[in-house]
Amino acid sequence: MTEKTLLFSATRQVSHRTSLLVKIIKWIAKVGFAVFIIILLCNVWVVLSTSNQNYYFLKQLPANDVGLVLGTSKYSASGRQNLFFKYRMEAAALLYHEGKVKVLILSGNNDSEYYNEPRDMEDALVALGVPANVIQHDFAGRRTYDSIVRCREVFKHKQVTVISQPFHNARALFLANQLDVEAVAFAAQDVPNGYSIKTLVREYLARPKAVMDVFFLNPTFTRRNIPIENERRKRAVDDSI
């Protein structure tokens, strides 16, 4: 085989590999664009379909017996006070004191004895003047989906006021609408711009996951036992409604 033939063969191989690489890059770009469009459409759907249920002004908010406070960590990753938590608790206390809700379900994660969102929320609310006897704990609210379904199935409430930041409320309301829970939401004070880019990015991705949950995945919600102390409190609070 001559040197010219070898050179031609090598050139063809390089050309073939280049063509294959270009095809792969184009395929990845198309898939990436499709995923981006799906994420965008899910976000638009979640926000627009719930906009009339997300209340920013106290006077306009309808009264409900039950407020569902969605959990978050008391402290940020840096160890500082988490403003999402602070403003959420202040909003929940405000709704109780103004008579917009009578009972507060605190739904959050309780991975261990050292991390207990509902307990932290109760401590903050009691410090803001909310009586402990109007508080119920949901220790298995690991996800917003769990919080909504457990509110309906475990706590037997199908009409609630969700309390969180407005961007989070949109997803919670969307889930409630799809899971047969009649809900409105009160928008807690939002954090300053740029406070937590990670949280906002996570929320943009969580909305398509919410669509997947209710229409495709339909995960079984967590039926963790309610502690005896909380079960007694639950009965006492329910009797007072």
Side-chain angles (χ1 to χ4, degrees):
M1 186 176 293
T2 65
E3 182 178 342
K4 185 175 181 181
T5 303
L6 289 173
L7 180 61
F8 177 75
S9 177
T11 302
R12 286 189 61 185
Q13 290 180 6
V14 171
S15 177
H16 175 72
R17 290 174 183 173
T18 302
S19 176
L20 181 61
L21 181 61
V22 169
K23 288 180 180 179
I24 292 173
I25 292 174
K26 287 182 178 181
W27 182 83
I28 292 174
K30 289 178 181 179
V31 171
F33 182 73
V35 170
F36 172 77
I37 293 298
I38 291 171
I39 292 173
L40 179 63
L41 290 176
C42 286
N43 273 271
V44 171
W45 183 17
V46 168
V47 172
L48 292 185
S49 67
T50 60
S51 60
N52 64 338
Q53 298 166 260
N54 209 350
Y55 289 83
Y56 292 79
F57 300 102
L58 187 65
K59 290 183 178 180
Q60 298 175 354
L61 178 71
N64 268 327
D65 285 336
V66 180
L68 177 63
V69 190
L70 300 177
T72 187
S73 174
K74 184 178 181 179
Y75 300 104
S76 65
S78 63
R80 296 179 180 178
Q81 182 183 41
N82 182 0
L83 292 182
F84 289 111
F85 179 94
K86 178 178 185 294
Y87 295 153
R88 213 171 289 185
M89 297 310 106
E90 290 175 348
L94 176 65
L95 294 196
Y96 174 78
H97 290 308
E98 293 295 327
K100 292 294 185 177
V101 295
K102 298 177 182 177
V103 172
L104 292 170
I105 298 176
L106 312 182
S107 184
N109 199 355
N110 175 208
D111 281 340
S112 72
E113 61 179 310
Y114 305 105
Y115 187 80
N116 192 323
E117 290 178 354
R119 293 289 187 198
D120 288 340
M121 288 192 282
E122 179 182 22
D123 291 343
L125 288 169
V126 169
L128 291 168
V130 177
N133 63 357
V134 302
I135 291 173
Q136 297 178 4
H137 298 133
D138 176 13
F139 294 109
R142 295 187 183 89
R143 303 191 305 141
T144 304
Y145 181 95
D146 294 337
S147 297
I148 297 297
V149 177
R150 287 173 59 81
C151 181
R152 183 193 72 193
E153 296 293 335
V154 175
F155 294 88
K156 305 301 181 184
H157 297 303
K158 290 189 175 182
Q159 187 171 352
V160 299
T161 297
V162 176
I163 304 165
S164 187
Q165 272 68 33
F167 70 88
H168 189 192
N169 282 344
R171 176 161 54 97
L173 288 168
F174 177 83
L175 288 167
N177 290 344
Q178 304 302 326
L179 297 171
D180 194 29
V181 176
E182 186 179 341
V184 294
F186 182 68
Q189 181 179 339
D190 217 340
V191 300
N193 290 333
Y195 176 76
S196 180
I197 301 298
K198 179 181 177 181
T199 300
L200 295 178
V201 171
R202 186 171 58 196
E203 183 61 30
Y204 283 121
L205 298 177
R207 289 169 182 166
K209 179 63 165 57
V211 174
M212 291 287 291
D213 279 340
V214 295
F215 290 107
F216 302 102
L217 302 179
N218 192 26
T220 303
F221 73 96
T222 310
R223 283 187 179 273
R224 286 180 60 182
N225 292 329
I226 303 172
I228 294 175
E229 171 195 349
N230 195 53
E231 180 62 34
R232 289 171 181 163
R233 180 184 294 182
K234 179 181 183 299
R235 288 197 298 266
V237 172
D238 287 345
D239 291 343
S240 68
I241 295 179

